Amino acid sequence: MRSEQETNEAIERYSDTVRRLCMIHLKNYADTEDIFQTVFLKYVLSSVSFESREHEKAWFIRVTVNACKDLLKSFFRSHTVSIDEIMEQPAAQGAESREVLEAVLSLPQKHRDVVYLHYYEGYTAPEISKILKKNVNTVYTLLNRSRQMLREKLGGDADGA
């Protein structure tokens, strides 16, 4: 494990490089900050001895690029769509999905959670009850109430159309 002084010096030397590489790969400030912390944590915990400053810099670049690639190919990243992307869809293509998304986002938090887990992630009510630590009947009730609220917001009839 490296000393605090060594770590601070490395952060001073390589923080700009690491952040720039992250922004180039991830195009997202929050993910950049996450990878920044990951890279410097790996440095602190690493026992690699560097031959020179260039070797150290090359290590930081390689670790940063690999961490960015890992994040980009992670399961979570490949199975999500950002709300910004949905909201920016052309009107003809995504008006209906945008309207549904806005209706779901306008639900109270407890309703939003069950709708998301059920319809977007594909969990069953018993699975959702374990995840949210709620009674399974409570989950069924929340799903039914959520459906009713969405029908009212989206103008569907009482039969679920």
Side-chain angles (χ1 to χ4, degrees):
M1 196 152 122
R2 302 193 188 277
S3 71
E4 187 176 344
Q5 182 181 352
E6 269 184 295
T7 304
N8 288 337
E9 289 172 2
I11 290 171
E12 283 181 40
R13 272 194 300 274
Y14 304 115
S15 63
D16 288 343
T17 302
V18 169
R19 278 199 175 98
R20 276 190 240 120
L21 279 168
C22 289
M23 283 304 287
I24 288 169
H25 282 87
L26 305 172
K27 298 169 183 65
N28 178 315
Y29 180 76
D31 290 340
T32 293
E33 289 302 307
D34 287 345
I35 296 300
F36 180 86
Q37 290 179 9
T38 301
V39 168
F40 283 99
L41 180 62
K42 284 182 182 181
Y43 175 76
V44 168
L45 300 175
S46 168
S47 60
V48 175
S49 60
F50 300 105
E51 299 165 8
S52 65
R53 291 267 187 245
E54 285 302 310
H55 180 221
E56 187 177 47
K57 184 176 183 179
W59 183 91
F60 272 99
I61 291 170
R62 177 58 26 216
V63 169
T64 302
V65 169
N66 287 342
C68 289
K69 286 180 180 179
D70 289 346
L71 179 66
L72 290 171
K73 67 183 177 185
S74 72
F75 177 82
F76 173 75
R77 277 272 241 224
S78 63
H79 287 83
T80 58
V81 177
S82 82
I83 291 174
D84 295 334
E85 286 178 36
I86 292 172
M87 300 306 276
E88 291 173 359
Q89 288 180 349
Q93 180 187 21
E96 202 171 289
S97 65
R98 237 189 334 269
E99 184 181 359
V100 171
L101 176 66
E102 288 172 2
V104 170
L105 291 175
S106 71
L107 293 173
Q109 184 68 47
K110 63 184 178 181
H111 295 276
R112 231 179 315 167
D113 291 343
V114 295
V115 167
Y116 173 78
L117 290 170
H118 184 69
Y119 290 104
Y120 291 90
E121 293 296 325
Y123 288 105
T124 63
E127 292 169 330
I128 295 169
S129 76
K130 289 178 185 170
I131 292 168
L132 298 178
K133 295 181 174 49
K134 293 183 185 284
N135 184 304
V136 70
N137 289 330
T138 303
V139 172
Y140 283 120
T141 300
L142 289 170
L143 278 170
N144 284 327
R145 288 180 183 164
S146 299
R147 284 187 203 109
Q148 183 58 41
M149 293 165 121
L150 290 171
R151 272 188 214 107
E152 290 170 10
K153 290 176 188 285
L154 298 171
D157 63 24
D159 296 331

